[in-house]
Amino acid sequence: QSLMLDSHSESNTIPKFDITCSSADVAHEANVGKISETEINYLRTRGLSEAEARALIVRGFTNDVSKELPFEYAAEMNNLIRLEMRENM
């Protein structure tokens, strides 16, 4: 999955399949999306700033990775996301 954070972002997926079974059914799936303005507006009605709302969405997007990290690394990753979202606003 890819999350587009700005108008300059790109997501390139180049799958390579080496299939040796003639009866195999093989597919590639990818998801790419922008941060929804509707989601941003919803979170802003709940008292978050735009930067906080964007950071919350990005942290939710990275949650599966974060859960696999040791606590200290996950906390640092979340802090870096929050700082990056503030700087790019």
Side-chain angles (χ1 to χ4, degrees), residues 51-81:
E52 290 168 331
R54 288 182 180 278
L56 182 63
I57 292 168
V58 171
R59 283 196 311 271
F61 184 79
T62 60
N63 192 41
D64 289 342
V65 172
S66 180
K67 288 191 294 189
E68 299 298 322
L69 297 173
F71 176 77
E72 296 82 8
Y73 292 114
E76 187 63 25
M77 184 178 87
N78 287 332
N79 287 333
L80 290 171
I81 290 169

Side-chain angles (χ1 to χ4, degrees), residues 7-23:
S7 61
H8 304 292
S9 297
E10 286 185 11
S11 176
N12 299 307
T13 303
I14 306 171
K16 179 182 181 217
F17 297 115
D18 185 13
I19 310 302
T20 58
C21 177
S22 62
S23 63

Side-chain angles (χ1 to χ4, degrees), residues 23-88:
S23 63
D25 184 13
V26 180
H28 172 70
E29 182 179 329
N31 292 329
V32 178
K34 291 184 174 185
I35 294 177
S36 166
E37 288 302 318
T38 302
E39 292 172 351
I40 296 292
N41 291 333
Y42 174 81
L43 293 170
R44 294 199 66 197
T45 65
R46 300 301 186 255
L48 297 176
S49 70
E50 184 173 348
E52 290 168 331
R54 288 182 180 278
L56 182 63
I57 292 168
V58 171
R59 283 196 311 271
F61 184 79
T62 60
N63 192 41
D64 289 342
V65 172
S66 180
K67 288 191 294 189
E68 299 298 322
L69 297 173
F71 176 77
E72 296 82 8
Y73 292 114
E76 187 63 25
M77 184 178 87
N78 287 332
N79 287 333
L80 290 171
I81 290 169
R82 187 173 54 254
L83 289 172
E84 185 67 25
M85 293 290 102
R86 283 186 188 153
E87 289 178 10
N88 287 322

